[in-house]
Amino acid sequence: MPFYILRRLLLLIPLLCGITLISFTLLKAIPGDPAIIMAGERATPEDIEKIRKHLGAQKGIIEQYTGYIQLLLKGEFGRSYYTQRRVIDDILEKLPNTAALAITAIAIAIPAGILTGFIAGLKQGSFIDRVLSGFAITGLSVPVFWSGLLLMYLLSLQLRLFPPSGTGVKFLILPAITLALPAIGTLSRVTRTMVIEVSSMPFIQTALSKGIKPLRLYGVHIFKNIIIPVITVTGMDFGSYLSGAVLTETIFGWNGMGRFTFEGIMKRDYPVVMGSIITATVIFVVVNLFVDILYHLLDPRVRLGNQER
């Protein structure tokens, strides 16, 4: 297992090289000149050229990329074109906010999604199943910006239960619920499918014939066999949340990675965008590695497979 973890971490190096090369090339190919945006509409060509020289934009793309790689090797992401702050400092400031939002959203989504999916699977074909499946499909289908605005209107502006926007503990509930709704729908659908599939297996029928109590049957025999797909879905959602929920953070004015990345893209602030992409890549790899470790701990078949290798 330690060798496997080390191998996965070493694979992060070529992955980051490929991600930085592709991202850097694509960013430079996007229409729009950050020097013109920074200078404003009334700027003279001389002023724009000075800004371009200051940013190093007059150099060739290969020379710019080489310089950026040298910067990364020093543990730096560069400085924002607009604030002149170190990008890594901004990321370290905003990442905890995104982590708090992601953890709260997952804490809401996991019990709600598993419970509704479990009930729907056990009541397959019933009225309860149709209602819960309808809610799950709605959560998956409704765009985040629409559900976010709707929740803001109902719970904040009408009922005045929560403040509409901002960053901090008291502003956390609305964006967390908005972020959790699609995850609840996904977890519910996956759990329902797995419960129906596992319930039809011979060992479940054998357990029923032996008179095992329903609580033990559902909580041990069925739940243990559906946990792996649930962990997979949860890991993917959590990784995407940590990378930055752009729409949710923008709608609710949450000072996190998603809003930070969005503003960087709109302003053509290349160091900010590149720093955000690299951070997101590392987060995804670490989260997937953690999910693989959970597989190893929870599923004996995975442990046996690793031993055979």
Side-chain angles (χ1 to χ4, degrees):
M1 191 62 180
F3 177 74
Y4 173 77
I5 295 174
L6 179 62
R7 185 178 63 182
R8 287 288 298 272
L9 292 175
L10 289 176
L11 286 174
L12 182 60
I13 298 174
L15 177 62
L16 285 176
C17 291
I19 290 293
T20 53
L21 177 60
I22 294 172
S23 302
F24 195 89
T25 305
L26 291 177
L27 283 174
K28 294 299 181 179
I30 295 175
D33 189 341
I36 296 176
I37 299 174
M38 293 175 65
E41 297 180 356
R42 298 183 180 181
T44 63
E46 290 77 13
D47 293 334
I48 295 174
E49 190 60 30
K50 287 180 181 178
I51 295 175
R52 286 178 59 83
K53 288 181 179 180
H54 176 71
L55 299 178
Q58 85 284 359
K59 301 177 182 177
I61 187 170
I62 296 178
E63 189 176 355
Q64 292 183 49
Y65 179 71
T66 303
Y68 187 74
I69 292 297
Q70 292 174 352
L71 197 65
L72 290 179
L73 293 175
K74 297 177 182 178
E76 289 283 348
F77 288 151
R79 292 181 178 270
S80 168
Y81 289 165
Y82 293 86
T83 64
Q84 290 301 307
R85 282 173 52 88
R86 295 168 68 227
V87 173
I88 193 169
D89 291 339
D90 285 334
I91 290 175
L92 292 175
E93 176 186 324
K94 298 173 190 303
L95 190 57
N97 295 332
T98 296
L101 180 59
I103 292 171
T104 306
I106 285 295
I108 295 171
I110 290 176
I114 293 177
L115 180 61
T116 55
F118 221 102
I119 295 173
L122 295 176
K123 300 291 185 180
Q124 182 186 7
S126 66
F127 174 74
I128 294 176
D129 178 25
R130 290 193 292 270
V131 171
L132 293 178
S133 296
F135 279 125
I137 293 173
T138 302
L140 287 170
S141 305
V142 175
V144 171
F145 66 85
W146 174 250
S147 59
L149 292 174
L150 186 61
L151 286 173
M152 184 186 293
Y153 175 75
L154 292 176
L155 300 181
S156 180
L157 300 181
Q158 293 297 317
L159 300 178
R160 299 186 182 278
L161 297 176
F162 306 104
S165 63
T167 304
V169 176
K170 64 179 181 179
F171 301 99
L172 184 59
I173 301 300
L174 276 181
I177 295 175
T178 303
L179 203 58
L181 287 177
I184 292 173
T186 304
L187 283 171
S188 181
R189 297 295 295 171
V190 170
T191 303
R192 177 186 180 275
T193 301
M194 292 303 302
V195 167
I196 294 173
E197 181 180 333
V198 173
S199 298
S200 63
M201 290 182 175
F203 77 92
I204 295 295
Q205 305 305 320
T206 303
L208 284 172
S209 66
K210 289 183 177 180
I212 292 181
K213 294 181 179 180
L215 185 61
R216 178 175 175 79
L217 179 68
Y218 302 148
V220 178
H221 295 283
I222 294 180
F223 186 75
K224 283 175 65 176
N225 285 275
I226 70 171
I227 192 65
I228 295 299
V230 169
I231 289 175
T232 302
V233 173
T234 304
M236 292 175 61
D237 285 335
F238 189 61
S240 64
Y241 294 165
L242 283 175
S243 302
V246 177
L247 289 176
T248 304
E249 291 184 0
T250 303
I251 291 170
F252 291 99
W254 189 263
N255 187 26
M257 287 296 297
R259 185 181 173 192
F260 181 59
T261 306
F262 175 74
E263 291 176 351
I265 294 172
M266 296 302 294
K267 294 178 179 179
R268 302 294 189 272
D269 199 342
Y270 298 144
V272 168
V273 179
M274 288 297 299
S276 300
I277 291 173
I278 293 171
T279 303
T281 302
V282 173
I283 287 172
F284 262 105
V285 171
V286 172
V287 170
N288 286 329
L289 178 59
F290 181 70
V291 169
D292 288 345
I293 293 173
L294 285 180
Y295 287 167
H296 180 86
L297 296 175
L298 296 175
D299 194 341
R301 294 168 295 183
V302 176
R303 293 197 293 270
L304 289 174
N306 289 339
Q307 288 173 3
E308 291 174 359
R309 291 175 192 174

mmCIF file of all heavy atoms in Angstrom, residues 47-86:
data_model
loop_
_atom_site.group_PDB
_atom_site.id
_atom_site.type_symbol
_atom_site.label_atom_id
_atom_site.label_comp_id
_atom_site.label_asym_id
_atom_site.label_seq_id
_atom_site.Cartn_x
_atom_site.Cartn_y
_atom_site.Cartn_z
ATOM 1 N N ASP A 47 1.205 53.447 -23.620
ATOM 2 C CA ASP A 47 0.872 52.954 -22.270
ATOM 3 C C ASP A 47 0.609 51.451 -22.290
ATOM 4 O O ASP A 47 1.049 50.723 -21.388
ATOM 5 C CB ASP A 47 -0.367 53.690 -21.742
ATOM 6 C CG ASP A 47 -0.099 55.167 -21.485
ATOM 7 O OD1 ASP A 47 1.067 55.512 -21.231
ATOM 8 O OD2 ASP A 47 -1.054 55.961 -21.535
ATOM 9 N N ILE A 48 -0.095 50.995 -23.318
ATOM 10 C CA ILE A 48 -0.398 49.564 -23.435
ATOM 11 C C ILE A 48 0.883 48.758 -23.601
ATOM 12 O O ILE A 48 1.051 47.693 -22.996
ATOM 13 C CB ILE A 48 -1.362 49.314 -24.613
ATOM 14 C CG1 ILE A 48 -2.712 49.969 -24.332
ATOM 15 C CG2 ILE A 48 -1.531 47.817 -24.875
ATOM 16 C CD1 ILE A 48 -3.687 49.910 -25.486
ATOM 17 N N GLU A 49 1.809 49.290 -24.403
ATOM 18 C CA GLU A 49 3.069 48.582 -24.627
ATOM 19 C C GLU A 49 3.895 48.512 -23.346
ATOM 20 O O GLU A 49 4.559 47.492 -23.080
ATOM 21 C CB GLU A 49 3.869 49.290 -25.723
ATOM 22 C CG GLU A 49 5.086 48.524 -26.207
ATOM 23 C CD GLU A 49 4.731 47.159 -26.785
ATOM 24 O OE1 GLU A 49 3.615 47.014 -27.329
ATOM 25 O OE2 GLU A 49 5.567 46.243 -26.682
ATOM 26 N N LYS A 50 3.864 49.581 -22.546
ATOM 27 C CA LYS A 50 4.580 49.561 -21.272
ATOM 28 C C LYS A 50 4.031 48.472 -20.350
ATOM 29 O O LYS A 50 4.792 47.765 -19.681
ATOM 30 C CB LYS A 50 4.466 50.925 -20.584
ATOM 31 C CG LYS A 50 5.295 52.026 -21.230
ATOM 32 C CD LYS A 50 5.120 53.336 -20.473
ATOM 33 C CE LYS A 50 5.922 54.450 -21.136
ATOM 34 N NZ LYS A 50 5.724 55.745 -20.425
ATOM 35 N N ILE A 51 2.703 48.362 -20.321
ATOM 36 C CA ILE A 51 2.069 47.341 -19.472
ATOM 37 C C ILE A 51 2.417 45.948 -19.976
ATOM 38 O O ILE A 51 2.695 45.037 -19.190
ATOM 39 C CB ILE A 51 0.539 47.544 -19.429
ATOM 40 C CG1 ILE A 51 0.209 48.874 -18.756
ATOM 41 C CG2 ILE A 51 -0.140 46.395 -18.701
ATOM 42 C CD1 ILE A 51 -1.262 49.223 -18.760
ATOM 43 N N ARG A 52 2.441 45.771 -21.305
ATOM 44 C CA ARG A 52 2.791 44.482 -21.881
ATOM 45 C C ARG A 52 4.218 44.084 -21.515
ATOM 46 O O ARG A 52 4.490 42.915 -21.196
ATOM 47 C CB ARG A 52 2.635 44.523 -23.405
ATOM 48 C CG ARG A 52 1.183 44.499 -23.871
ATOM 49 C CD ARG A 52 1.110 44.603 -25.392
ATOM 50 N NE ARG A 52 1.823 43.510 -26.029
ATOM 51 C CZ ARG A 52 1.310 42.300 -26.238
ATOM 52 N NH1 ARG A 52 0.075 42.027 -25.854
ATOM 53 N NH2 ARG A 52 2.005 41.355 -26.831
ATOM 54 N N LYS A 53 5.124 45.054 -21.534
ATOM 55 C CA LYS A 53 6.507 44.772 -21.153
ATOM 56 C C LYS A 53 6.600 44.426 -19.668
ATOM 57 O O LYS A 53 7.359 43.541 -19.266
ATOM 58 C CB LYS A 53 7.400 45.966 -21.479
ATOM 59 C CG LYS A 53 7.640 46.166 -22.970
ATOM 60 C CD LYS A 53 8.560 47.346 -23.210
ATOM 61 C CE LYS A 53 8.817 47.528 -24.714
ATOM 62 N NZ LYS A 53 9.722 48.681 -24.980
ATOM 63 N N HIS A 54 5.810 45.137 -18.861
ATOM 64 C CA HIS A 54 5.807 44.872 -17.422
ATOM 65 C C HIS A 54 5.303 43.455 -17.127
ATOM 66 O O HIS A 54 5.811 42.772 -16.224
ATOM 67 C CB HIS A 54 4.933 45.898 -16.704
ATOM 68 C CG HIS A 54 4.792 45.653 -15.235
ATOM 69 N ND1 HIS A 54 5.830 45.839 -14.342
ATOM 70 C CD2 HIS A 54 3.724 45.215 -14.498
ATOM 71 C CE1 HIS A 54 5.417 45.532 -13.122
ATOM 72 N NE2 HIS A 54 4.144 45.147 -13.188
ATOM 73 N N LEU A 55 4.321 43.018 -17.900
ATOM 74 C CA LEU A 55 3.755 41.678 -17.713
ATOM 75 C C LEU A 55 4.583 40.599 -18.394
ATOM 76 O O LEU A 55 4.372 39.407 -18.152
ATOM 77 C CB LEU A 55 2.319 41.626 -18.260
ATOM 78 C CG LEU A 55 1.299 42.573 -17.617
ATOM 79 C CD1 LEU A 55 -0.055 42.427 -18.303
ATOM 80 C CD2 LEU A 55 1.158 42.296 -16.126
ATOM 81 N N GLY A 56 5.507 41.001 -19.264
ATOM 82 C CA GLY A 56 6.294 40.025 -20.009
ATOM 83 C C GLY A 56 5.544 39.455 -21.198
ATOM 84 O O GLY A 56 5.932 38.421 -21.752
ATOM 85 N N ALA A 57 4.461 40.140 -21.620
ATOM 86 C CA ALA A 57 3.629 39.614 -22.708
ATOM 87 C C ALA A 57 4.275 39.793 -24.072
ATOM 88 O O ALA A 57 3.804 39.208 -25.057
ATOM 89 C CB ALA A 57 2.260 40.305 -22.696
ATOM 90 N N GLN A 58 5.332 40.600 -24.182
ATOM 91 C CA GLN A 58 5.974 40.800 -25.483
ATOM 92 C C GLN A 58 6.886 39.638 -25.849
ATOM 93 O O GLN A 58 7.326 39.507 -26.993
ATOM 94 C CB GLN A 58 6.751 42.129 -25.487
ATOM 95 C CG GLN A 58 8.165 42.064 -24.925
ATOM 96 C CD GLN A 58 8.189 41.984 -23.392
ATOM 97 O OE1 GLN A 58 7.147 42.003 -22.757
ATOM 98 N NE2 GLN A 58 9.386 41.929 -22.813
ATOM 99 N N LYS A 59 7.154 38.735 -24.881
ATOM 100 C CA LYS A 59 8.011 37.582 -25.139
ATOM 101 C C LYS A 59 7.236 36.497 -25.881
ATOM 102 O O LYS A 59 6.009 36.488 -25.893
ATOM 103 C CB LYS A 59 8.551 37.021 -23.820
ATOM 104 C CG LYS A 59 9.370 38.013 -23.000
ATOM 105 C CD LYS A 59 9.800 37.396 -21.691
ATOM 106 C CE LYS A 59 10.581 38.396 -20.827
ATOM 107 N NZ LYS A 59 10.946 37.809 -19.513
ATOM 108 N N GLY A 60 7.971 35.574 -26.492
ATOM 109 C CA GLY A 60 7.341 34.445 -27.159
ATOM 110 C C GLY A 60 6.698 33.500 -26.149
ATOM 111 O O GLY A 60 7.071 33.484 -24.968
ATOM 112 N N ILE A 61 5.744 32.700 -26.616
ATOM 113 C CA ILE A 61 4.995 31.838 -25.703
ATOM 114 C C ILE A 61 5.894 30.777 -25.063
ATOM 115 O O ILE A 61 5.715 30.423 -23.897
ATOM 116 C CB ILE A 61 3.807 31.178 -26.450
ATOM 117 C CG1 ILE A 61 2.934 30.417 -25.445
ATOM 118 C CG2 ILE A 61 4.292 30.251 -27.557
ATOM 119 C CD1 ILE A 61 1.632 29.936 -26.021
ATOM 120 N N ILE A 62 6.898 30.300 -25.804
ATOM 121 C CA ILE A 62 7.803 29.295 -25.240
ATOM 122 C C ILE A 62 8.629 29.903 -24.116
ATOM 123 O O ILE A 62 8.825 29.294 -23.057
ATOM 124 C CB ILE A 62 8.718 28.711 -26.337
ATOM 125 C CG1 ILE A 62 7.884 27.959 -27.373
ATOM 126 C CG2 ILE A 62 9.771 27.795 -25.723
ATOM 127 C CD1 ILE A 62 8.696 27.397 -28.523
ATOM 128 N N GLU A 63 9.100 31.126 -24.339
ATOM 129 C CA GLU A 63 9.890 31.809 -23.316
ATOM 130 C C GLU A 63 9.034 32.116 -22.086
ATOM 131 O O GLU A 63 9.493 31.979 -20.946
ATOM 132 C CB GLU A 63 10.468 33.102 -23.889
ATOM 133 C CG GLU A 63 11.470 33.781 -22.972
ATOM 134 C CD GLU A 63 12.091 35.019 -23.611
ATOM 135 O OE1 GLU A 63 11.797 35.281 -24.800
ATOM 136 O OE2 GLU A 63 12.852 35.708 -22.915
ATOM 137 N N GLN A 64 7.766 32.499 -22.324
ATOM 138 C CA GLN A 64 6.864 32.759 -21.202
ATOM 139 C C GLN A 64 6.593 31.483 -20.402
ATOM 140 O O GLN A 64 6.595 31.498 -19.163
ATOM 141 C CB GLN A 64 5.537 33.328 -21.722
ATOM 142 C CG GLN A 64 5.637 34.728 -22.317
ATOM 143 C CD GLN A 64 4.283 35.255 -22.746
ATOM 144 O OE1 GLN A 64 3.315 35.206 -22.002
ATOM 145 N NE2 GLN A 64 4.200 35.755 -23.972
ATOM 146 N N TYR A 65 6.367 30.384 -21.116
ATOM 147 C CA TYR A 65 6.080 29.108 -20.432
ATOM 148 C C TYR A 65 7.294 28.634 -19.639
ATOM 149 O O TYR A 65 7.158 28.173 -18.509
ATOM 150 C CB TYR A 65 5.663 28.056 -21.454
ATOM 151 C CG TYR A 65 5.383 26.704 -20.846
ATOM 152 C CD1 TYR A 65 4.255 26.494 -20.055
ATOM 153 C CD2 TYR A 65 6.264 25.637 -21.035
ATOM 154 C CE1 TYR A 65 4.010 25.259 -19.474
ATOM 155 C CE2 TYR A 65 6.026 24.396 -20.461
ATOM 156 C CZ TYR A 65 4.887 24.217 -19.685
ATOM 157 O OH TYR A 65 4.654 22.991 -19.110
ATOM 158 N N THR A 66 8.467 28.764 -20.220
ATOM 159 C CA THR A 66 9.694 28.362 -19.523
ATOM 160 C C THR A 66 9.877 29.178 -18.247
ATOM 161 O O THR A 66 10.230 28.647 -17.190
ATOM 162 C CB THR A 66 10.909 28.541 -20.439
ATOM 163 O OG1 THR A 66 10.720 27.790 -21.639
ATOM 164 C CG2 THR A 66 12.177 28.067 -19.745
ATOM 165 N N GLY A 67 9.605 30.476 -18.342
ATOM 166 C CA GLY A 67 9.709 31.332 -17.158
ATOM 167 C C GLY A 67 8.704 30.953 -16.090
ATOM 168 O O GLY A 67 9.013 30.986 -14.883
ATOM 169 N N TYR A 68 7.508 30.550 -16.526
ATOM 170 C CA TYR A 68 6.484 30.165 -15.550
ATOM 171 C C TYR A 68 6.869 28.864 -14.843
ATOM 172 O O TYR A 68 6.658 28.729 -13.635
ATOM 173 C CB TYR A 68 5.126 30.017 -16.240
ATOM 174 C CG TYR A 68 3.991 29.798 -15.266
ATOM 175 C CD1 TYR A 68 3.514 30.842 -14.477
ATOM 176 C CD2 TYR A 68 3.422 28.546 -15.113
ATOM 177 C CE1 TYR A 68 2.497 30.646 -13.560
ATOM 178 C CE2 TYR A 68 2.389 28.338 -14.203
ATOM 179 C CZ TYR A 68 1.932 29.394 -13.434
ATOM 180 O OH TYR A 68 0.914 29.194 -12.527
ATOM 181 N N ILE A 69 7.431 27.914 -15.594
ATOM 182 C CA ILE A 69 7.872 26.660 -14.982
ATOM 183 C C ILE A 69 8.968 26.924 -13.952
ATOM 184 O O ILE A 69 8.990 26.325 -12.863
ATOM 185 C CB ILE A 69 8.370 25.675 -16.056
ATOM 186 C CG1 ILE A 69 7.202 25.212 -16.932
ATOM 187 C CG2 ILE A 69 9.050 24.467 -15.417
ATOM 188 C CD1 ILE A 69 6.131 24.452 -16.184
ATOM 189 N N GLN A 70 9.888 27.830 -14.276
ATOM 190 C CA GLN A 70 10.942 28.183 -13.321
ATOM 191 C C GLN A 70 10.335 28.784 -12.048
ATOM 192 O O GLN A 70 10.822 28.532 -10.939
ATOM 193 C CB GLN A 70 11.914 29.164 -13.964
ATOM 194 C CG GLN A 70 12.748 28.556 -15.094
ATOM 195 C CD GLN A 70 13.590 29.591 -15.812
ATOM 196 O OE1 GLN A 70 13.458 30.797 -15.581
ATOM 197 N NE2 GLN A 70 14.474 29.124 -16.689
ATOM 198 N N LEU A 71 9.265 29.557 -12.240
ATOM 199 C CA LEU A 71 8.572 30.146 -11.093
ATOM 200 C C LEU A 71 7.928 29.049 -10.230
ATOM 201 O O LEU A 71 8.013 29.090 -8.996
ATOM 202 C CB LEU A 71 7.512 31.127 -11.585
ATOM 203 C CG LEU A 71 6.944 32.133 -10.578
ATOM 204 C CD1 LEU A 71 8.045 33.086 -10.115
ATOM 205 C CD2 LEU A 71 5.800 32.914 -11.208
ATOM 206 N N LEU A 72 7.314 28.056 -10.879
ATOM 207 C CA LEU A 72 6.685 26.957 -10.146
ATOM 208 C C LEU A 72 7.709 26.144 -9.350
ATOM 209 O O LEU A 72 7.427 25.696 -8.236
ATOM 210 C CB LEU A 72 5.934 26.030 -11.117
ATOM 211 C CG LEU A 72 4.661 26.582 -11.771
ATOM 212 C CD1 LEU A 72 4.072 25.544 -12.721
ATOM 213 C CD2 LEU A 72 3.628 26.968 -10.710
ATOM 214 N N LEU A 73 8.889 25.956 -9.928
ATOM 215 C CA LEU A 73 9.931 25.193 -9.241
ATOM 216 C C LEU A 73 10.399 25.901 -7.969
ATOM 217 O O LEU A 73 10.949 25.265 -7.067
ATOM 218 C CB LEU A 73 11.119 24.961 -10.181
ATOM 219 C CG LEU A 73 10.842 24.037 -11.375
ATOM 220 C CD1 LEU A 73 12.051 23.972 -12.297
ATOM 221 C CD2 LEU A 73 10.463 22.634 -10.894
ATOM 222 N N LYS A 74 10.172 27.196 -7.894
ATOM 223 C CA LYS A 74 10.509 27.955 -6.687
ATOM 224 C C LYS A 74 9.363 27.961 -5.682
ATOM 225 O O LYS A 74 9.460 28.587 -4.615
ATOM 226 C CB LYS A 74 10.862 29.407 -7.051
ATOM 227 C CG LYS A 74 12.089 29.540 -7.942
ATOM 228 C CD LYS A 74 12.319 31.006 -8.317
ATOM 229 C CE LYS A 74 13.504 31.164 -9.244
ATOM 230 N NZ LYS A 74 13.712 32.581 -9.662
ATOM 231 N N GLY A 75 8.254 27.275 -6.033
ATOM 232 C CA GLY A 75 7.095 27.235 -5.142
ATOM 233 C C GLY A 75 6.224 28.460 -5.234
ATOM 234 O O GLY A 75 5.490 28.782 -4.279
ATOM 235 N N GLU A 76 6.244 29.151 -6.374
ATOM 236 C CA GLU A 76 5.466 30.375 -6.573
ATOM 237 C C GLU A 76 4.509 30.209 -7.743
ATOM 238 O O GLU A 76 4.780 29.480 -8.696
ATOM 239 C CB GLU A 76 6.390 31.564 -6.845
ATOM 240 C CG GLU A 76 7.188 32.018 -5.639
ATOM 241 C CD GLU A 76 6.347 32.825 -4.662
ATOM 242 O OE1 GLU A 76 5.224 33.214 -5.026
ATOM 243 O OE2 GLU A 76 6.819 33.057 -3.535
ATOM 244 N N PHE A 77 3.377 30.895 -7.678
ATOM 245 C CA PHE A 77 2.415 30.949 -8.779
ATOM 246 C C PHE A 77 2.434 32.302 -9.487
ATOM 247 O O PHE A 77 1.649 32.526 -10.409
ATOM 248 C CB PHE A 77 0.990 30.691 -8.267
ATOM 249 C CG PHE A 77 0.741 29.268 -7.864
ATOM 250 C CD1 PHE A 77 -0.183 28.975 -6.885
ATOM 251 C CD2 PHE A 77 1.434 28.218 -8.455
ATOM 252 C CE1 PHE A 77 -0.430 27.663 -6.509
ATOM 253 C CE2 PHE A 77 1.201 26.904 -8.085
ATOM 254 C CZ PHE A 77 0.264 26.628 -7.117
ATOM 255 N N GLY A 78 3.327 33.176 -9.061
ATOM 256 C CA GLY A 78 3.365 34.515 -9.637
ATOM 257 C C GLY A 78 2.484 35.481 -8.863
ATOM 258 O O GLY A 78 1.954 35.159 -7.796
ATOM 259 N N ARG A 79 2.320 36.686 -9.425
ATOM 260 C CA ARG A 79 1.506 37.723 -8.797
ATOM 261 C C ARG A 79 0.338 38.095 -9.699
ATOM 262 O O ARG A 79 0.442 38.065 -10.920
ATOM 263 C CB ARG A 79 2.341 38.973 -8.500
ATOM 264 C CG ARG A 79 3.396 38.759 -7.418
ATOM 265 C CD ARG A 79 4.173 40.023 -7.137
ATOM 266 N NE ARG A 79 5.148 39.819 -6.070
ATOM 267 C CZ ARG A 79 4.899 40.008 -4.784
ATOM 268 N NH1 ARG A 79 3.692 40.433 -4.407
ATOM 269 N NH2 ARG A 79 5.825 39.810 -3.881
ATOM 270 N N SER A 80 -0.763 38.451 -9.077
ATOM 271 C CA SER A 80 -1.941 38.897 -9.826
ATOM 272 C C SER A 80 -1.622 40.162 -10.607
ATOM 273 O O SER A 80 -0.937 41.056 -10.100
ATOM 274 C CB SER A 80 -3.102 39.161 -8.864
ATOM 275 O OG SER A 80 -4.159 39.841 -9.518
ATOM 276 N N TYR A 81 -2.099 40.229 -11.849
ATOM 277 C CA TYR A 81 -1.870 41.416 -12.667
ATOM 278 C C TYR A 81 -2.497 42.660 -12.050
ATOM 279 O O TYR A 81 -1.990 43.775 -12.236
ATOM 280 C CB TYR A 81 -2.468 41.222 -14.056
ATOM 281 C CG TYR A 81 -1.736 40.230 -14.934
ATOM 282 C CD1 TYR A 81 -2.338 39.732 -16.089
ATOM 283 C CD2 TYR A 81 -0.452 39.797 -14.632
ATOM 284 C CE1 TYR A 81 -1.673 38.825 -16.915
ATOM 285 C CE2 TYR A 81 0.215 38.894 -15.444
ATOM 286 C CZ TYR A 81 -0.410 38.413 -16.582
ATOM 287 O OH TYR A 81 0.247 37.519 -17.392
ATOM 288 N N TYR A 82 -3.580 42.506 -11.318
ATOM 289 C CA TYR A 82 -4.365 43.655 -10.860
ATOM 290 C C TYR A 82 -4.052 44.055 -9.425
ATOM 291 O O TYR A 82 -3.959 45.245 -9.115
ATOM 292 C CB TYR A 82 -5.864 43.340 -10.993
ATOM 293 C CG TYR A 82 -6.298 43.197 -12.426
ATOM 294 C CD1 TYR A 82 -6.178 41.986 -13.084
ATOM 295 C CD2 TYR A 82 -6.793 44.280 -13.137
ATOM 296 C CE1 TYR A 82 -6.552 41.837 -14.406
ATOM 297 C CE2 TYR A 82 -7.176 44.159 -14.462
ATOM 298 C CZ TYR A 82 -7.052 42.937 -15.093
ATOM 299 O OH TYR A 82 -7.409 42.802 -16.410
ATOM 300 N N THR A 83 -3.923 43.063 -8.524
ATOM 301 C CA THR A 83 -3.688 43.391 -7.115
ATOM 302 C C THR A 83 -2.218 43.357 -6.743
ATOM 303 O O THR A 83 -1.841 43.863 -5.679
ATOM 304 C CB THR A 83 -4.440 42.400 -6.208
ATOM 305 O OG1 THR A 83 -3.907 41.074 -6.399
ATOM 306 C CG2 THR A 83 -5.930 42.390 -6.547
ATOM 307 N N GLN A 84 -1.388 42.724 -7.595
ATOM 308 C CA GLN A 84 0.035 42.540 -7.328
ATOM 309 C C GLN A 84 0.291 41.705 -6.071
ATOM 310 O O GLN A 84 1.397 41.693 -5.550
ATOM 311 C CB GLN A 84 0.745 43.899 -7.203
ATOM 312 C CG GLN A 84 0.845 44.662 -8.514
ATOM 313 C CD GLN A 84 1.601 43.863 -9.590
ATOM 314 O OE1 GLN A 84 2.713 43.404 -9.356
ATOM 315 N NE2 GLN A 84 0.971 43.700 -10.748
ATOM 316 N N ARG A 85 -0.739 41.020 -5.611
ATOM 317 C CA ARG A 85 -0.569 40.083 -4.500
ATOM 318 C C ARG A 85 -0.075 38.742 -5.022
ATOM 319 O O ARG A 85 -0.372 38.359 -6.153
ATOM 320 C CB ARG A 85 -1.902 39.876 -3.764
ATOM 321 C CG ARG A 85 -2.275 41.012 -2.834
ATOM 322 C CD ARG A 85 -3.684 40.811 -2.287
ATOM 323 N NE ARG A 85 -3.886 39.498 -1.701
ATOM 324 C CZ ARG A 85 -3.646 39.173 -0.432
ATOM 325 N NH1 ARG A 85 -3.169 40.099 0.380
ATOM 326 N NH2 ARG A 85 -3.865 37.958 0.019
ATOM 327 N N ARG A 86 0.685 38.019 -4.196
ATOM 328 C CA ARG A 86 1.117 36.683 -4.579
ATOM 329 C C ARG A 86 -0.114 35.780 -4.699
ATOM 330 O O ARG A 86 -0.942 35.726 -3.794
ATOM 331 C CB ARG A 86 2.093 36.123 -3.548
ATOM 332 C CG ARG A 86 3.396 36.892 -3.471
ATOM 333 C CD ARG A 86 4.200 36.487 -2.261
ATOM 334 N NE ARG A 86 4.698 35.113 -2.359
ATOM 335 C CZ ARG A 86 4.611 34.234 -1.383
ATOM 336 N NH1 ARG A 86 4.023 34.558 -0.237
ATOM 337 N NH2 ARG A 86 5.111 33.023 -1.526
#
